[in-house]
Amino acid sequence: MNILVTGGAGFIGRWVVDKLLKDGHQLWVLDDLSNGSKANIQEFINHSGLIDLIVGDIKNELLLAELFTKNKFDICYHLGASINVQDSIDDPHTTFFNDTVGTFYIMEQCKKHKVKVVFMSTCMVYDRCTEETGITELHQIKPASPYAGAKIAAENMVLSYYFSYDLPVVVIRPFNTYGPYQKTGGEGGVVAIFIRNKLTGLDLNIYGEGTQTRDLLYVEDCARFVVESGYSEAVNGQIVNAGLGKDISINDLAQLVVGDESRIRHVPHIHPQSEIQKLLCNYEKAQELLGWKPEVTLEEGIIRTEEWIKSGGLGI
């Protein structure tokens, strides 16, 4: 198939590109490199399946029109977005226009050219988990940050094209994803940041009390879920979760990574109002509709990520 991947030079996007190339498709990657990097996909530049890397903005309607008219895409994996919670609090304008308005422009082209859309949303749209069985797709949502709000708005827009125009779409909500090629600075990549700090002799800083939990999904499991959502008609018009199905407190995660209590310290939370105290995924719907389930344990994923950073990965 001919496939467009927006945000394909980003962390998860890189692994989606890897999987799609291995599956034998022809790819076009569109990325403005605000979160991504050419280095992430450098190894694919001479691959016969990677037709073009377009450095451009999903909000550029003329660029999108040219891209979609010239190339007969079968699927658009729309991963391009502003993803930093704190940035969205400081500058909601940028996040809204990238994540919601940019998605609208993508949807308009996909409608015109009848291209299936896989829309990458986030577990950050959910309210805290209250059931030990985990968060299903029917769980209450809570826009605790402009990032979550923009994603919820974009989700609704994407699904409206399914109901209004019979366009095949799927909204996917992966839980906290980690692994090789994740940035080790800033916010979001807690596993990568902890490992980098461990290897460089720095303390592992935990926001708040550290009792908040996360369901951590290894990036290759995530990429497999993303890609297979595009292949399947069973998920059209659906919202689908993916996660490990187990959560861990940030305190326990730090201990698992560094194994030395003296190197762990707690610092004031930078955005406590947007903290979700418990995130635990129920992925039964993905298993039922896609036959998908995670294959990499947290312990194994941490080992793989640490080996990548040690080997000169972009994180250090």
Side-chain angles (χ1 to χ4, degrees), residues 14-66:
R14 182 259 172 219
W15 288 100
V16 169
V17 167
D18 183 38
K19 169 69 173 159
L20 289 168
L21 288 174
K22 285 175 179 173
D23 287 353
H25 302 296
Q26 292 192 304
L27 302 190
W28 286 254
V29 171
L30 173 61
D31 201 305
D32 69 358
L33 304 181
S34 59
N35 285 314
S37 166
K38 284 184 180 179
N40 285 347
I41 57 172
Q42 187 60 45
E43 66 186 278
F44 309 129
I45 292 300
N46 296 319
H47 193 291
S48 60
L50 182 58
I51 306 302
D52 199 5
L53 166 61
I54 304 102
V55 178
D57 192 329
I58 58 172
K59 302 189 301 301
N60 185 334
E61 292 182 89
L62 291 176
L63 172 63
L64 291 182
E66 180 182 349

Side-chain angles (χ1 to χ4, degrees), residues 166-215:
D166 202 28
L167 185 72
V169 309
V170 57
V171 170
I172 54 175
R173 292 174 176 168
F175 278 60
N176 301 92
T177 304
Y178 73 98
Y181 292 91
Q182 187 169 37
K183 292 179 181 177
T184 62
E187 181 204 358
V190 62
V191 175
I193 292 169
F194 279 180
I195 292 172
R196 179 207 59 191
N197 285 12
K198 170 192 172 182
L199 294 175
T200 55
L202 299 174
D203 288 339
L204 278 61
N205 293 333
I206 296 174
Y207 292 139
E209 295 179 355
T211 55
Q212 64 269 38
T213 75
R214 293 294 177 263
D215 183 310

Side-chain angles (χ1 to χ4, degrees), residues 113-250:
H113 297 277
K114 297 179 173 60
V115 180
K116 175 167 180 176
V117 180
V118 179
F119 175 65
M120 171 73 83
S121 188
T122 171
C123 65
M124 299 301 287
V125 302
Y126 286 120
D127 200 354
R128 64 181 294 170
C129 180
T130 55
E131 303 290 334
E132 284 309 313
T133 51
I135 292 172
T136 73
E137 293 79 3
L138 299 176
H139 188 80
Q140 182 174 334
I141 58 174
K142 178 183 178 181
S145 66
Y147 167 61
K151 282 293 189 180
I152 291 168
E155 284 186 359
N156 287 329
M157 179 138 37
V158 169
L159 290 170
S160 78
Y161 279 66
Y162 174 77
F163 294 113
S164 296
Y165 309 112
D166 202 28
L167 185 72
V169 309
V170 57
V171 170
I172 54 175
R173 292 174 176 168
F175 278 60
N176 301 92
T177 304
Y178 73 98
Y181 292 91
Q182 187 169 37
K183 292 179 181 177
T184 62
E187 181 204 358
V190 62
V191 175
I193 292 169
F194 279 180
I195 292 172
R196 179 207 59 191
N197 285 12
K198 170 192 172 182
L199 294 175
T200 55
L202 299 174
D203 288 339
L204 278 61
N205 293 333
I206 296 174
Y207 292 139
E209 295 179 355
T211 55
Q212 64 269 38
T213 75
R214 293 294 177 263
D215 183 310
L216 295 160
L217 178 64
Y218 188 65
V219 68
E220 289 185 74
D221 282 336
C222 180
R224 186 165 45 84
F225 165 70
V226 175
V227 168
E228 290 171 5
S229 296
Y231 296 166
S232 170
E233 293 185 6
V235 294
N236 288 349
Q238 300 288 326
I239 297 171
V240 191
N241 288 342
L244 188 61
K246 298 177 181 177
D247 63 339
I248 184 172
S249 73
I250 301 301

